[in-house]
Amino acid sequence: MANAKPPQIAIVGAGMFVRNQYIPRLSEISDLVSLKAIWSRSEESARGAVEIAQKYFPGVECKWGDEGLDQIIEDKSILGVAVVLAGQAQVDFSLRLLKTGKHVLQATSELEAALAGYNSISANIKPIWAVAENYRFEPAFVECKRLVAEVGDMMSVQVIIEGSMNSSNPYFSSSWRRNFTGGFILDMGVHYIAGLRMLVGCEVVSVSAITTHVDKTLPPPDNMSSLFQLENGCSGVFVMIVSSSSPKIFWRVVGLKGTLQIERGKHDGQHGYLVSFYGADGQCKNTFYRFSGVTDEFKSFIRDIQQASVKGSYHEAEPRMSFVEGATDVAVLGAMLESGAKQGAPVHVKKF
């Protein structure tokens, strides 16, 4: 395997996240993967993304429309496909690709309805369906998952999200997010729920939430305050404001023996997370971890599709990228939104 050529992948979608995140992050690991094609519904959009990608992957091909998608499907040299489309379209495209044997990396979306579709795929070797969730790969969360045991029995968990989704944000005018049930709360919130679940190491079993719509430039709801209970008996709060004039994002676990906090911020010009651990002696230890989750999840997906091509169905894919993990994130937030629509009535979180 040492002399094997890097696996070839394609990207289906050519929007802002592909241009601003996926292409730059793939360029960082161009020794591990080859980007063969980028597809979009329109030729103009596809060419715009390809123009950016050509700086790092000179041979990348431009594909668009039904014919271009068929060419990607029929290209046996393409092992995996990253599906980065509007939430409403992701599942249909992912299942179509999976049924033709392509391994798929998909952004979090309406996964519950698609589980049966994936499980019904009849193949000797079922292709990998990975859900992109970079929070489960961020070094800060990986380290804190290990550290959280040191706070002792949990007494309280707090997740405070004061976002900055205003007109200066490139995603503010995204039409599909505005026509998506749950709007920006769901689109943004699943990542913060993923961070919560990874940090506490157990599941959210029930929620009670109040939702409001204050900023009329945003789709409803744009504010949510939720009380949640974990299966270990600990309770916590999840507060999310889509757009605030003073953005702040942190997770905090208070235990009998200490407190652990992850706060998003900058250090020496780099974006990342400041991890603060307060021990029983009251002393605080701070460590900063820069963002690298998108790159690390790509590395994991690439390893998986390489191993699957060698070991077949005997290869166990990275559990942090399983569609069940992504569906559970959506289920927690969905329960909160459902409770909000019922004026705070308790709602149990669906299990998978």
Side-chain angles (χ1 to χ4, degrees):
M1 290 293 291
N3 297 319
K5 290 183 179 180
Q8 296 194 117
I9 67 168
I11 298 177
V12 168
M16 285 181 287
F17 197 74
V18 168
R19 300 178 189 212
N20 299 337
Q21 286 292 329
Y22 270 26
I23 292 172
R25 299 295 80 78
L26 283 171
S27 73
E28 296 172 0
I29 53 172
S30 58
D31 58 324
L32 301 177
V33 65
S34 174
L35 179 58
K36 185 168 185 184
I38 297 178
W39 176 93
S40 182
R41 287 183 176 87
S42 73
E43 179 181 358
E44 180 183 6
S45 180
R47 289 200 182 283
V50 165
E51 187 177 335
I52 296 170
Q54 281 175 333
K55 301 170 189 173
Y56 317 107
F57 302 96
V60 63
E61 299 171 6
C62 184
K63 305 287 184 182
W64 65 90
D66 292 340
E67 184 180 350
L69 188 62
D70 287 341
Q71 289 170 355
I72 288 174
I73 288 171
E74 293 165 7
D75 189 335
K76 302 298 184 185
S77 71
I78 296 175
L79 284 183
V81 181
V83 177
V84 198
L85 296 169
Q88 298 91 328
Q90 285 177 13
V91 167
D92 288 343
F93 273 76
S94 293
L95 286 175
R96 181 178 173 186
L97 289 159
L98 287 162
K99 287 173 182 176
T100 64
K102 302 293 188 195
H103 302 295
V104 170
L105 175 65
Q106 178 198 317
T108 307
S109 182
E110 296 179 351
L111 296 176
E112 180 183 344
L115 295 181
Y118 177 65
N119 289 329
S120 70
I121 293 174
S122 56
N124 293 329
I125 302 173
K126 188 170 289 190
I128 293 168
W129 184 17
V131 173
E133 181 44 74
N134 54 293
Y135 279 57
R136 280 189 266 274
F137 288 84
E138 290 293 351
F141 284 92
V142 173
E143 174 62 11
C144 285
K145 182 178 182 180
R146 183 188 67 80
L147 273 178
V148 75
E150 297 184 27
V151 305
D153 292 338
M154 291 183 191
M155 298 190 291
S156 176
V157 181
Q158 303 156 43
V159 183
I160 308 297
I161 310 298
E162 297 175 11
S164 57
M165 186 52 66
N166 52 46
S167 58
S168 64
N169 191 302
Y171 295 99
F172 179 78
S173 299
S174 171
S175 59
W176 76 261
R177 289 174 175 85
R178 291 176 173 274
N179 299 324
F180 202 53
T181 303
F184 287 106
I185 288 272
L186 182 59
D187 179 55
M188 297 161 59
V190 288
H191 304 297
Y192 308 127
I193 294 295
L196 164 66
R197 292 179 54 240
M198 183 164 179
L199 180 60
V200 298
C202 64
E203 298 300 346
V204 178
V205 293
S206 64
V207 302
S208 176
I210 299 295
T211 53
T212 59
H213 187 206
V214 179
D215 186 343
K216 304 306 179 184
T217 67
L218 294 165
D222 65 326
N223 297 278
M224 180 167 69
S225 297
S226 180
L227 178 68
F228 62 81
Q229 183 163 25
L230 301 174
E231 62 185 356
N232 65 5
C234 181
S235 63
V237 293
F238 179 91
V239 177
M240 184 171 175
I241 300 164
V242 173
S243 184
S244 166
S245 59
S246 55
K248 190 176 186 67
I249 299 175
F250 71 85
W251 296 253
R252 186 175 175 92
V253 179
V254 182
L256 275 174
K257 298 178 181 178
T259 298
L260 182 62
Q261 178 172 299
I262 306 175
E263 183 169 2
R264 193 164 174 166
K266 286 178 70 176
H267 179 71
D268 291 339
Q270 291 189 315
H271 291 272
Y273 297 99
L274 177 66
V275 172
S276 301
F277 181 80
Y278 302 82
D281 57 2
Q283 298 297 310
C284 178
K285 180 182 178 182
N286 294 317
T287 310
F288 185 82
Y289 298 87
R290 69 177 185 86
F291 291 148
S292 68
V294 174
T295 304
D296 292 347
E297 73 179 355
F298 259 125
K299 287 180 179 177
S300 180
F301 180 65
I302 292 159
R303 280 195 301 269
D304 275 343
I305 65 176
Q306 282 180 312
Q307 289 297 309
S309 67
V310 175
K311 298 179 181 177
S313 56
Y314 293 101
H315 175 65
E316 292 187 15
E318 166 59 62
R320 285 177 291 174
M321 301 181 80
S322 77
F323 57 77
V324 171
E325 286 290 336
T328 304
D329 295 335
V330 174
V332 172
L333 207 55
M336 291 178 177
L337 288 165
E338 180 183 343
S339 175
K342 295 178 178 178
Q343 290 75 49
V347 173
H348 287 280
V349 178
K350 181 178 177 62
K351 289 185 177 181
F352 295 91

